[in-house]
Amino acid sequence: MNLGDDLYREIILDNYKSTRNRRALESPAFRQEGVNPSCGDDIELYLKSDGEQITDASFEGVGCSICIASANMLCNAIKGMEVTQAEELVERVKGMLTRNETPEFPDGAEDLEAIQGVAKYPVRIKCALLSWNTLHQLLDEVRSQARSGD
Ligand code: ZN
């Protein structure tokens, strides 16, 4: 193990223990459940938006450290983003974990590099991607509501 692994492990643990984003958002909010039966991860992701801008994000549920840490990083990263920026971030995370791409994350999302090591463990990739796949579904809803509101 090298220093990078230690640092990444610490970042994952910090995000796992953080409770700042672990809450339900009052309506009107978008919500979507994400389940990963192979591990037992079961989360509920909440978003609030103003048009196509994400104004708040949070989650509830149970999951392993990778799943919860990844969901917490997601919430921190996407607050204030436009739907298109959040979609791009989803693609970068997927690229890092499933296509071995070198990640380039925007300011405020650098913690995500810490889950890169998960790519070596196929079983855990689903844990890390659960919240991102759930977000992907919610972004479609945010966008269609923003368009119908025009
Ligand atoms: Zn898991």
Short mmCIF file of all heavy atoms in Angstrom, two decimals, residues 87-145:
data_model
loop_
_atom_site.label_atom_id
_atom_site.label_comp_id
_atom_site.label_asym_id
_atom_site.label_seq_id
_atom_site.Cartn_x
_atom_site.Cartn_y
_atom_site.Cartn_z
N GLU A 87 -24.71 15.76 -15.84
CA GLU A 87 -24.66 14.60 -16.74
C GLU A 87 -23.22 14.30 -17.17
O GLU A 87 -22.81 13.15 -17.27
CB GLU A 87 -25.53 14.85 -17.98
CG GLU A 87 -27.00 14.59 -17.71
CD GLU A 87 -27.90 15.02 -18.87
OE1 GLU A 87 -27.44 15.80 -19.71
OE2 GLU A 87 -29.05 14.57 -18.89
N GLU A 88 -22.49 15.36 -17.41
CA GLU A 88 -21.09 15.19 -17.79
C GLU A 88 -20.30 14.53 -16.66
O GLU A 88 -19.45 13.67 -16.89
CB GLU A 88 -20.50 16.57 -18.11
CG GLU A 88 -19.21 16.53 -18.88
CD GLU A 88 -18.74 17.94 -19.21
OE1 GLU A 88 -19.53 18.71 -19.81
OE2 GLU A 88 -17.60 18.26 -18.83
N LEU A 89 -20.62 14.94 -15.44
CA LEU A 89 -19.94 14.37 -14.29
C LEU A 89 -20.27 12.88 -14.14
O LEU A 89 -19.39 12.07 -13.82
CB LEU A 89 -20.32 15.14 -13.02
CG LEU A 89 -19.49 14.86 -11.77
CD1 LEU A 89 -18.02 15.20 -11.99
CD2 LEU A 89 -20.03 15.65 -10.57
N VAL A 90 -21.53 12.53 -14.37
CA VAL A 90 -21.93 11.11 -14.33
C VAL A 90 -21.07 10.31 -15.31
O VAL A 90 -20.54 9.25 -14.99
CB VAL A 90 -23.44 10.94 -14.68
CG1 VAL A 90 -23.79 9.46 -14.86
CG2 VAL A 90 -24.33 11.55 -13.59
N GLU A 91 -20.89 10.87 -16.52
CA GLU A 91 -20.10 10.18 -17.54
C GLU A 91 -18.64 10.04 -17.13
O GLU A 91 -17.99 9.03 -17.39
CB GLU A 91 -20.20 10.91 -18.88
CG GLU A 91 -21.44 10.54 -19.67
CD GLU A 91 -21.65 9.01 -19.75
OE1 GLU A 91 -20.74 8.31 -20.21
OE2 GLU A 91 -22.71 8.53 -19.32
N ARG A 92 -18.11 11.08 -16.48
CA ARG A 92 -16.70 11.01 -16.04
C ARG A 92 -16.51 9.95 -14.98
O ARG A 92 -15.50 9.23 -14.97
CB ARG A 92 -16.26 12.36 -15.50
CG ARG A 92 -16.01 13.35 -16.61
CD ARG A 92 -15.42 14.63 -16.10
NE ARG A 92 -15.47 15.61 -17.17
CZ ARG A 92 -14.83 16.76 -17.15
NH1 ARG A 92 -14.06 17.07 -16.12
NH2 ARG A 92 -14.92 17.59 -18.15
N VAL A 93 -17.45 9.86 -14.04
CA VAL A 93 -17.35 8.86 -12.98
C VAL A 93 -17.45 7.47 -13.59
O VAL A 93 -16.67 6.57 -13.26
CB VAL A 93 -18.43 9.09 -11.91
CG1 VAL A 93 -18.45 7.94 -10.91
CG2 VAL A 93 -18.19 10.40 -11.17
N LYS A 94 -18.40 7.28 -14.51
CA LYS A 94 -18.55 5.98 -15.17
C LYS A 94 -17.29 5.63 -15.98
O LYS A 94 -16.84 4.49 -15.98
CB LYS A 94 -19.76 5.98 -16.11
CG LYS A 94 -21.07 5.85 -15.38
CD LYS A 94 -22.21 5.71 -16.39
CE LYS A 94 -23.55 5.61 -15.68
NZ LYS A 94 -24.67 5.57 -16.63
N GLY A 95 -16.75 6.64 -16.65
CA GLY A 95 -15.54 6.42 -17.45
C GLY A 95 -14.38 5.98 -16.58
O GLY A 95 -13.61 5.08 -16.94
N MET A 96 -14.27 6.62 -15.41
CA MET A 96 -13.18 6.29 -14.49
C MET A 96 -13.32 4.85 -13.97
O MET A 96 -12.34 4.12 -13.86
CB MET A 96 -13.20 7.28 -13.31
CG MET A 96 -12.22 6.96 -12.21
SD MET A 96 -12.23 8.19 -10.88
CE MET A 96 -13.70 7.73 -9.98
N LEU A 97 -14.56 4.44 -13.68
CA LEU A 97 -14.76 3.15 -13.03
C LEU A 97 -14.94 1.99 -14.02
O LEU A 97 -14.63 0.85 -13.69
CB LEU A 97 -15.99 3.21 -12.11
CG LEU A 97 -15.83 4.10 -10.88
CD1 LEU A 97 -17.13 4.17 -10.11
CD2 LEU A 97 -14.71 3.62 -9.98
N THR A 98 -15.44 2.28 -15.21
CA THR A 98 -15.73 1.16 -16.12
C THR A 98 -14.90 1.18 -17.40
O THR A 98 -14.84 0.17 -18.10
CB THR A 98 -17.23 1.13 -16.51
OG1 THR A 98 -17.53 2.29 -17.28
CG2 THR A 98 -18.12 1.10 -15.28
N ARG A 99 -14.29 2.33 -17.72
CA ARG A 99 -13.51 2.39 -18.97
C ARG A 99 -12.05 2.77 -18.71
O ARG A 99 -11.33 3.10 -19.63
CB ARG A 99 -14.16 3.37 -19.95
CG ARG A 99 -15.57 2.97 -20.38
CD ARG A 99 -16.10 3.83 -21.52
NE ARG A 99 -16.26 5.22 -21.12
CZ ARG A 99 -17.39 5.72 -20.58
NH1 ARG A 99 -18.42 4.94 -20.36
NH2 ARG A 99 -17.46 6.99 -20.25
N ASN A 100 -11.68 2.74 -17.43
CA ASN A 100 -10.29 3.00 -17.06
C ASN A 100 -9.79 4.36 -17.54
O ASN A 100 -8.61 4.54 -17.85
CB ASN A 100 -9.39 1.88 -17.61
CG ASN A 100 -8.10 1.77 -16.83
OD1 ASN A 100 -8.04 2.19 -15.67
ND2 ASN A 100 -7.06 1.24 -17.45
N GLU A 101 -10.70 5.34 -17.64
CA GLU A 101 -10.31 6.68 -18.08
C GLU A 101 -9.71 7.47 -16.92
O GLU A 101 -10.11 7.30 -15.77
CB GLU A 101 -11.53 7.42 -18.63
CG GLU A 101 -12.01 6.87 -19.96
CD GLU A 101 -13.34 7.45 -20.40
OE1 GLU A 101 -13.80 8.43 -19.79
OE2 GLU A 101 -13.93 6.90 -21.35
N THR A 102 -8.78 8.33 -17.24
CA THR A 102 -8.20 9.19 -16.22
C THR A 102 -9.19 10.32 -15.94
O THR A 102 -9.58 11.04 -16.85
CB THR A 102 -6.88 9.79 -16.71
OG1 THR A 102 -6.03 8.72 -17.09
CG2 THR A 102 -6.21 10.61 -15.62
N PRO A 103 -9.60 10.45 -14.69
CA PRO A 103 -10.62 11.46 -14.39
C PRO A 103 -10.07 12.87 -14.34
O PRO A 103 -8.93 13.08 -13.93
CB PRO A 103 -11.11 11.03 -13.01
CG PRO A 103 -9.92 10.37 -12.38
CD PRO A 103 -9.17 9.72 -13.50
N GLU A 104 -10.87 13.81 -14.80
CA GLU A 104 -10.58 15.22 -14.60
C GLU A 104 -11.83 15.82 -14.00
O GLU A 104 -12.81 16.05 -14.70
CB GLU A 104 -10.27 15.89 -15.93
CG GLU A 104 -8.80 15.94 -16.26
CD GLU A 104 -8.55 16.65 -17.56
OE1 GLU A 104 -8.96 17.82 -17.70
OE2 GLU A 104 -7.97 16.02 -18.47
N PHE A 105 -11.79 16.04 -12.70
CA PHE A 105 -12.99 16.50 -12.03
C PHE A 105 -12.94 18.00 -11.77
O PHE A 105 -11.87 18.55 -11.47
CB PHE A 105 -13.18 15.75 -10.71
CG PHE A 105 -13.49 14.29 -10.91
CD1 PHE A 105 -12.67 13.32 -10.39
CD2 PHE A 105 -14.61 13.91 -11.63
CE1 PHE A 105 -12.95 11.97 -10.58
CE2 PHE A 105 -14.91 12.57 -11.82
CZ PHE A 105 -14.07 11.60 -11.30
N PRO A 106 -14.09 18.66 -11.86
CA PRO A 106 -14.14 20.10 -11.61
C PRO A 106 -13.92 20.42 -10.13
O PRO A 106 -13.99 19.53 -9.28
CB PRO A 106 -15.55 20.50 -12.05
CG PRO A 106 -16.36 19.25 -12.00
CD PRO A 106 -15.40 18.11 -12.25
N ASP A 107 -13.67 21.69 -9.83
CA ASP A 107 -13.51 22.13 -8.45
C ASP A 107 -14.71 21.68 -7.61
O ASP A 107 -15.84 21.79 -8.05
CB ASP A 107 -13.42 23.67 -8.37
CG ASP A 107 -12.10 24.17 -8.95
OD1 ASP A 107 -11.22 23.33 -9.20
OD2 ASP A 107 -11.98 25.38 -9.15
N GLY A 108 -14.42 21.19 -6.43
CA GLY A 108 -15.49 20.76 -5.55
C GLY A 108 -15.83 19.29 -5.71
O GLY A 108 -16.58 18.73 -4.92
N ALA A 109 -15.29 18.66 -6.76
CA ALA A 109 -15.59 17.25 -7.00
C ALA A 109 -14.33 16.40 -6.97
O ALA A 109 -14.35 15.23 -7.34
CB ALA A 109 -16.31 17.08 -8.34
N GLU A 110 -13.23 16.97 -6.48
CA GLU A 110 -11.94 16.27 -6.52
C GLU A 110 -11.94 15.00 -5.67
O GLU A 110 -11.19 14.07 -5.96
CB GLU A 110 -10.79 17.17 -6.06
CG GLU A 110 -10.62 18.44 -6.87
CD GLU A 110 -11.34 19.61 -6.24
OE1 GLU A 110 -12.31 19.38 -5.49
OE2 GLU A 110 -10.94 20.76 -6.51
N ASP A 111 -12.76 14.98 -4.62
CA ASP A 111 -12.81 13.80 -3.75
C ASP A 111 -13.12 12.53 -4.54
O ASP A 111 -12.76 11.43 -4.13
CB ASP A 111 -13.90 13.96 -2.68
CG ASP A 111 -13.39 14.73 -1.46
OD1 ASP A 111 -12.25 15.22 -1.51
OD2 ASP A 111 -14.14 14.82 -0.47
N LEU A 112 -13.79 12.70 -5.67
CA LEU A 112 -14.21 11.54 -6.46
C LEU A 112 -13.04 10.68 -6.93
O LEU A 112 -13.20 9.49 -7.18
CB LEU A 112 -15.04 12.00 -7.66
CG LEU A 112 -16.46 12.43 -7.29
CD1 LEU A 112 -17.09 13.24 -8.41
CD2 LEU A 112 -17.31 11.20 -6.98
N GLU A 113 -11.87 11.30 -7.02
CA GLU A 113 -10.69 10.52 -7.42
C GLU A 113 -10.43 9.38 -6.44
O GLU A 113 -9.85 8.36 -6.80
CB GLU A 113 -9.45 11.41 -7.49
CG GLU A 113 -9.42 12.28 -8.73
CD GLU A 113 -8.16 13.12 -8.78
OE1 GLU A 113 -7.12 12.66 -8.28
OE2 GLU A 113 -8.22 14.24 -9.31
N ALA A 114 -10.90 9.56 -5.21
CA ALA A 114 -10.63 8.57 -4.17
C ALA A 114 -11.31 7.24 -4.45
O ALA A 114 -10.88 6.21 -3.93
CB ALA A 114 -11.07 9.10 -2.80
N ILE A 115 -12.39 7.25 -5.24
CA ILE A 115 -13.06 5.97 -5.50
C ILE A 115 -12.53 5.27 -6.74
O ILE A 115 -13.00 4.22 -7.12
CB ILE A 115 -14.61 6.12 -5.59
CG1 ILE A 115 -15.03 7.10 -6.68
CG2 ILE A 115 -15.20 6.51 -4.25
CD1 ILE A 115 -16.54 7.13 -6.91
N GLN A 116 -11.49 5.85 -7.35
CA GLN A 116 -10.90 5.27 -8.55
C GLN A 116 -10.42 3.83 -8.31
O GLN A 116 -10.54 2.98 -9.18
CB GLN A 116 -9.73 6.13 -9.01
CG GLN A 116 -9.19 5.75 -10.36
CD GLN A 116 -8.13 6.73 -10.84
OE1 GLN A 116 -7.64 7.55 -10.06
NE2 GLN A 116 -7.79 6.67 -12.10
N GLY A 117 -9.89 3.58 -7.11
CA GLY A 117 -9.34 2.26 -6.79
C GLY A 117 -10.38 1.15 -6.86
O GLY A 117 -10.05 -0.03 -7.01
N VAL A 118 -11.66 1.53 -6.74
CA VAL A 118 -12.74 0.56 -6.77
C VAL A 118 -12.79 -0.17 -8.12
O VAL A 118 -13.25 -1.31 -8.21
CB VAL A 118 -14.09 1.27 -6.48
CG1 VAL A 118 -15.27 0.35 -6.72
CG2 VAL A 118 -14.11 1.79 -5.06
N ALA A 119 -12.31 0.50 -9.17
CA ALA A 119 -12.34 -0.08 -10.51
C ALA A 119 -11.65 -1.44 -10.57
O ALA A 119 -11.91 -2.25 -11.45
CB ALA A 119 -11.71 0.88 -11.53
N LYS A 120 -10.76 -1.69 -9.61
CA LYS A 120 -10.04 -2.98 -9.58
C LYS A 120 -10.92 -4.11 -9.04
O LYS A 120 -10.57 -5.27 -9.13
CB LYS A 120 -8.80 -2.86 -8.69
CG LYS A 120 -7.67 -2.09 -9.35
CD LYS A 120 -6.44 -2.05 -8.44
CE LYS A 120 -6.62 -1.01 -7.34
NZ LYS A 120 -5.41 -0.77 -6.55
N TYR A 121 -12.06 -3.74 -8.43
CA TYR A 121 -12.94 -4.74 -7.81
C TYR A 121 -14.32 -4.69 -8.44
O TYR A 121 -15.18 -3.91 -7.99
CB TYR A 121 -13.04 -4.49 -6.30
CG TYR A 121 -11.70 -4.35 -5.64
CD1 TYR A 121 -11.15 -3.10 -5.38
CD2 TYR A 121 -10.97 -5.49 -5.30
CE1 TYR A 121 -9.90 -2.97 -4.79
CE2 TYR A 121 -9.72 -5.37 -4.71
CZ TYR A 121 -9.19 -4.11 -4.46
OH TYR A 121 -7.95 -3.98 -3.89
N PRO A 122 -14.55 -5.50 -9.49
CA PRO A 122 -15.81 -5.42 -10.25
C PRO A 122 -17.07 -5.45 -9.37
O PRO A 122 -18.04 -4.77 -9.67
CB PRO A 122 -15.73 -6.65 -11.15
CG PRO A 122 -14.27 -6.90 -11.32
CD PRO A 122 -13.63 -6.50 -10.01
N VAL A 123 -17.03 -6.22 -8.29
CA VAL A 123 -18.22 -6.32 -7.44
C VAL A 123 -18.54 -4.98 -6.78
O VAL A 123 -19.70 -4.64 -6.55
CB VAL A 123 -18.00 -7.41 -6.35
CG1 VAL A 123 -19.13 -7.42 -5.35
CG2 VAL A 123 -17.86 -8.77 -6.99
N ARG A 124 -17.49 -4.21 -6.49
CA ARG A 124 -17.71 -2.94 -5.79
C ARG A 124 -18.03 -1.79 -6.74
O ARG A 124 -18.46 -0.73 -6.30
CB ARG A 124 -16.48 -2.56 -4.95
CG ARG A 124 -15.97 -3.65 -4.04
CD ARG A 124 -17.07 -4.27 -3.19
NE ARG A 124 -17.75 -3.36 -2.29
CZ ARG A 124 -17.28 -3.00 -1.09
NH1 ARG A 124 -16.15 -3.47 -0.67
NH2 ARG A 124 -17.96 -2.19 -0.34
N ILE A 125 -17.81 -1.97 -8.03
CA ILE A 125 -18.12 -0.90 -8.98
C ILE A 125 -19.60 -0.55 -8.91
O ILE A 125 -19.99 0.62 -8.94
CB ILE A 125 -17.71 -1.30 -10.43
CG1 ILE A 125 -16.18 -1.39 -10.52
CG2 ILE A 125 -18.24 -0.29 -11.44
CD1 ILE A 125 -15.67 -1.89 -11.85
N LYS A 126 -20.46 -1.57 -8.77
CA LYS A 126 -21.89 -1.33 -8.66
C LYS A 126 -22.22 -0.49 -7.43
O LYS A 126 -23.13 0.32 -7.44
CB LYS A 126 -22.64 -2.66 -8.55
CG LYS A 126 -22.82 -3.37 -9.86
CD LYS A 126 -23.72 -4.58 -9.64
CE LYS A 126 -23.73 -5.47 -10.86
NZ LYS A 126 -24.36 -6.77 -10.56
N CYS A 127 -21.47 -0.71 -6.35
CA CYS A 127 -21.68 0.06 -5.11
C CYS A 127 -21.37 1.54 -5.37
O CYS A 127 -22.12 2.42 -5.00
CB CYS A 127 -20.77 -0.45 -4.00
SG CYS A 127 -21.00 -2.19 -3.60
N ALA A 128 -20.23 1.77 -6.03
CA ALA A 128 -19.79 3.15 -6.28
C ALA A 128 -20.70 3.85 -7.29
O ALA A 128 -20.91 5.05 -7.22
CB ALA A 128 -18.35 3.15 -6.78
N LEU A 129 -21.25 3.08 -8.23
CA LEU A 129 -22.06 3.68 -9.31
C LEU A 129 -23.53 3.82 -8.97
O LEU A 129 -24.27 4.50 -9.69
CB LEU A 129 -21.92 2.87 -10.60
CG LEU A 129 -20.64 3.08 -11.41
CD1 LEU A 129 -20.70 2.26 -12.69
CD2 LEU A 129 -20.42 4.56 -11.75
N LEU A 130 -23.97 3.19 -7.89
CA LEU A 130 -25.42 3.17 -7.59
C LEU A 130 -26.02 4.58 -7.57
O LEU A 130 -27.01 4.86 -8.24
CB LEU A 130 -25.68 2.45 -6.26
CG LEU A 130 -27.15 2.40 -5.83
CD1 LEU A 130 -27.98 1.61 -6.83
CD2 LEU A 130 -27.29 1.82 -4.43
N SER A 131 -25.41 5.48 -6.80
CA SER A 131 -25.98 6.83 -6.69
C SER A 131 -25.90 7.57 -8.02
O SER A 131 -26.78 8.37 -8.34
CB SER A 131 -25.27 7.61 -5.59
OG SER A 131 -23.88 7.63 -5.79
N TRP A 132 -24.88 7.28 -8.81
CA TRP A 132 -24.70 7.98 -10.09
C TRP A 132 -25.73 7.51 -11.12
O TRP A 132 -26.25 8.32 -11.89
CB TRP A 132 -23.27 7.80 -10.61
CG TRP A 132 -22.31 8.44 -9.66
CD1 TRP A 132 -21.70 7.84 -8.60
CD2 TRP A 132 -21.94 9.82 -9.62
NE1 TRP A 132 -20.96 8.77 -7.91
CE2 TRP A 132 -21.08 9.99 -8.52
CE3 TRP A 132 -22.24 10.93 -10.43
CZ2 TRP A 132 -20.52 11.22 -8.19
CZ3 TRP A 132 -21.68 12.16 -10.11
CH2 TRP A 132 -20.84 12.29 -9.00
N ASN A 133 -26.02 6.20 -11.13
CA ASN A 133 -27.06 5.70 -12.01
C ASN A 133 -28.43 6.25 -11.60
O ASN A 133 -29.28 6.55 -12.44
CB ASN A 133 -27.09 4.17 -11.99
CG ASN A 133 -25.90 3.58 -12.74
OD1 ASN A 133 -25.41 4.17 -13.70
ND2 ASN A 133 -25.42 2.42 -12.30
N THR A 134 -28.63 6.37 -10.29
CA THR A 134 -29.88 6.93 -9.78
C THR A 134 -29.99 8.40 -10.17
O THR A 134 -31.05 8.87 -10.58
CB THR A 134 -29.92 6.78 -8.24
OG1 THR A 134 -29.65 5.42 -7.90
CG2 THR A 134 -31.28 7.18 -7.69
N LEU A 135 -28.88 9.11 -10.05
CA LEU A 135 -28.86 10.53 -10.45
C LEU A 135 -29.20 10.68 -11.93
O LEU A 135 -29.96 11.57 -12.31
CB LEU A 135 -27.46 11.12 -10.18
CG LEU A 135 -27.23 12.54 -10.71
CD1 LEU A 135 -28.14 13.55 -10.02
CD2 LEU A 135 -25.77 12.95 -10.54
N HIS A 136 -28.65 9.80 -12.73
CA HIS A 136 -28.89 9.86 -14.18
C HIS A 136 -30.39 9.83 -14.48
O HIS A 136 -30.89 10.59 -15.31
CB HIS A 136 -28.17 8.69 -14.86
CG HIS A 136 -28.25 8.73 -16.34
ND1 HIS A 136 -27.59 9.67 -17.08
CD2 HIS A 136 -28.93 7.96 -17.21
CE1 HIS A 136 -27.87 9.47 -18.36
NE2 HIS A 136 -28.68 8.44 -18.47
N GLN A 137 -31.12 8.96 -13.78
CA GLN A 137 -32.58 8.89 -13.97
C GLN A 137 -33.26 10.18 -13.52
O GLN A 137 -34.18 10.67 -14.17
CB GLN A 137 -33.16 7.72 -13.16
CG GLN A 137 -32.72 6.36 -13.65
CD GLN A 137 -33.24 5.26 -12.73
OE1 GLN A 137 -34.39 5.28 -12.31
NE2 GLN A 137 -32.40 4.31 -12.40
N LEU A 138 -32.81 10.72 -12.39
CA LEU A 138 -33.44 11.93 -11.86
C LEU A 138 -33.20 13.14 -12.76
O LEU A 138 -34.07 14.00 -12.88
CB LEU A 138 -32.88 12.24 -10.46
CG LEU A 138 -33.59 11.61 -9.28
CD1 LEU A 138 -32.96 12.09 -7.98
CD2 LEU A 138 -35.08 11.94 -9.28
N LEU A 139 -32.03 13.20 -13.38
CA LEU A 139 -31.71 14.36 -14.23
C LEU A 139 -32.66 14.44 -15.42
O LEU A 139 -33.03 15.54 -15.85
CB LEU A 139 -30.25 14.27 -14.72
CG LEU A 139 -29.20 14.48 -13.63
CD1 LEU A 139 -27.81 14.24 -14.19
CD2 LEU A 139 -29.28 15.86 -13.01
N ASP A 140 -33.06 13.29 -15.93
CA ASP A 140 -34.05 13.28 -17.02
C ASP A 140 -35.35 13.93 -16.56
O ASP A 140 -35.98 14.69 -17.29
CB ASP A 140 -34.33 11.85 -17.49
CG ASP A 140 -33.19 11.28 -18.32
OD1 ASP A 140 -32.35 12.09 -18.79
OD2 ASP A 140 -33.14 10.06 -18.50
N GLU A 141 -35.74 13.61 -15.32
CA GLU A 141 -36.97 14.19 -14.77
C GLU A 141 -36.84 15.70 -14.57
O GLU A 141 -37.77 16.45 -14.87
CB GLU A 141 -37.28 13.57 -13.41
CG GLU A 141 -38.09 12.30 -13.46
CD GLU A 141 -38.41 11.82 -12.05
OE1 GLU A 141 -38.98 12.61 -11.28
OE2 GLU A 141 -38.05 10.69 -11.73
N VAL A 142 -35.71 16.12 -14.03
CA VAL A 142 -35.48 17.55 -13.80
C VAL A 142 -35.57 18.31 -15.11
O VAL A 142 -36.23 19.34 -15.22
CB VAL A 142 -34.09 17.79 -13.15
CG1 VAL A 142 -33.79 19.29 -13.08
CG2 VAL A 142 -34.01 17.16 -11.78
N ARG A 143 -34.92 17.74 -16.13
CA ARG A 143 -34.90 18.40 -17.44
C ARG A 143 -36.30 18.47 -18.05
O ARG A 143 -36.69 19.52 -18.55
CB ARG A 143 -33.95 17.64 -18.36
CG ARG A 143 -34.00 18.15 -19.78
CD ARG A 143 -32.87 17.59 -20.58
NE ARG A 143 -31.64 18.33 -20.34
CZ ARG A 143 -30.43 17.84 -20.57
NH1 ARG A 143 -30.29 16.63 -21.01
NH2 ARG A 143 -29.37 18.59 -20.34
N SER A 144 -37.04 17.38 -17.98
CA SER A 144 -38.36 17.43 -18.62
C SER A 144 -39.30 18.37 -17.87
O SER A 144 -40.13 19.04 -18.47
CB SER A 144 -38.96 16.03 -18.77
OG SER A 144 -39.14 15.42 -17.53
N GLN A 145 -39.15 18.44 -16.54
CA GLN A 145 -39.99 19.38 -15.81
C GLN A 145 -39.62 20.84 -16.13
O GLN A 145 -40.47 21.70 -16.28
CB GLN A 145 -39.93 19.16 -14.30
CG GLN A 145 -41.06 19.89 -13.60
CD GLN A 145 -40.98 19.79 -12.08
OE1 GLN A 145 -40.21 20.51 -11.44
NE2 GLN A 145 -41.75 18.90 -11.51
#
